[in-house]
Amino acid sequence: MKIQLALDRMEIAEAIELTRKVEDSIDWIEVGTSLIKEFGVVSVKELKQAFPAKTVVADIKTIDNARYEFEMCFEAGADVATVMGVSPLVTIDACMEVARRYKKKVMIDLLNTSAEQKRALMKYKEAIFCDHVSKDEQEEAGSQNRGAKGGQLLNNPAIQVAAAGGITLESIGALRATLNPAVAIIGSAITKAENPAEAAAKFKQVCYQEEELV
């Protein structure tokens, strides 16, 4: 299970400094939506330049104007860019086409998608599907529910699944048991830890131990 470090609500320099502390324990670097909104795709460019060997995810959450936004992210150095699963399928088609042209990947964020929408999205076999508990759900409602609607569709060995939202050291074992994602997207459990390097190392240790047991 790869660890994707989610960087949000901070300055670019702070994001780079924090990532340097944990880079040995993480696999992918997510340039969060708030970073992109505040600083533009220069945030993607600077993170990729700082960590060229890492997979960089631009969490742009495209819902329209897909071709322009995905080209912009990939030109800035992103290896993966995100699109909302509730987007029109023509939008997701455009994302997939741009990603193939650049030899990059698409992550489809399943936030607020219905079971019917999930079924329609399963045709995108090349995509990564992100089961996402939103920040607002975590902060306002305290929700940790995953895949409440159509979640069984994600238990499919033919697709690659990521999980995001409130993942902790205490919950990651249960996450593997229920969803078994290829990518665990971890934000505040590392970025807001008293010792981010130690927290990231513990996540890495747990993920490796779990893999050995499977």
Side-chain angles (χ1 to χ4, degrees), residues 47-58:
L47 264 297
K48 186 62 177 181
Q49 287 177 342
F51 305 97
K54 296 290 188 184
T55 295
V56 171
V57 181

Side-chain angles (χ1 to χ4, degrees), residues 17-160:
E17 181 182 2
L18 192 151
T19 304
R20 289 203 192 284
K21 295 177 181 177
V22 305
E23 63 179 310
D24 291 341
S25 298
I26 58 107
D27 304 289
W28 293 8
I29 300 168
E30 175 190 313
V31 184
T33 312
S34 64
L35 269 176
I36 296 173
K37 284 185 175 181
E38 188 168 0
F39 303 107
V41 293
V42 68
S43 57
V44 177
K45 184 176 182 179
E46 291 195 23
L47 264 297
K48 186 62 177 181
Q49 287 177 342
F51 305 97
K54 296 290 188 184
T55 295
V56 171
V57 181
D59 190 19
I60 198 165
K61 289 187 172 69
T62 288
I63 199 164
D64 190 19
N65 201 20
R67 200 172 299 279
Y68 177 80
E69 292 190 0
F70 264 52
E71 288 176 349
M72 185 169 57
C73 287
F74 293 146
E75 289 287 343
D79 302 288
V80 183
T82 64
V83 60
M84 300 307 295
V86 294
S87 305
L89 292 184
V90 66
T91 297
I92 300 175
D93 286 340
C95 292
M96 298 300 296
E97 187 279 322
V98 173
R100 290 187 197 106
R101 179 154 42 89
Y102 279 83
K103 296 181 171 56
K104 306 291 187 179
K105 296 284 289 185
V106 175
M107 183 179 287
I108 301 176
D109 190 322
L110 299 176
L111 183 65
N112 210 39
T113 53
S114 66
E116 182 179 359
Q117 286 171 316
K118 285 185 176 72
R119 281 192 290 271
L121 293 168
M122 290 300 110
K123 69 176 184 174
Y124 299 108
K125 302 297 184 186
E126 301 165 53
I128 304 162
F129 294 90
C130 181
D131 186 62
H132 186 184
V133 176
S134 76
K135 179 62 68 176
D136 288 337
E137 285 179 303
Q138 296 172 56
E139 293 182 348
E140 305 298 333
S143 174
Q144 292 293 315
N145 293 327
R146 296 191 178 279
K149 295 182 178 180
Q152 69 277 10
L153 293 170
L154 298 179
N155 293 317
N156 180 345
I159 64 172
Q160 189 173 9

Side-chain angles (χ1 to χ4, degrees), residues 189-211:
I190 293 176
T191 62
K192 294 183 179 178
E194 186 175 339
N195 186 330
E198 182 180 336
K202 287 180 178 178
F203 272 106
K204 181 178 179 179
Q205 184 179 28
V206 169
C207 289
Y208 275 51
Q209 287 175 342
E210 291 289 345
E211 286 178 0

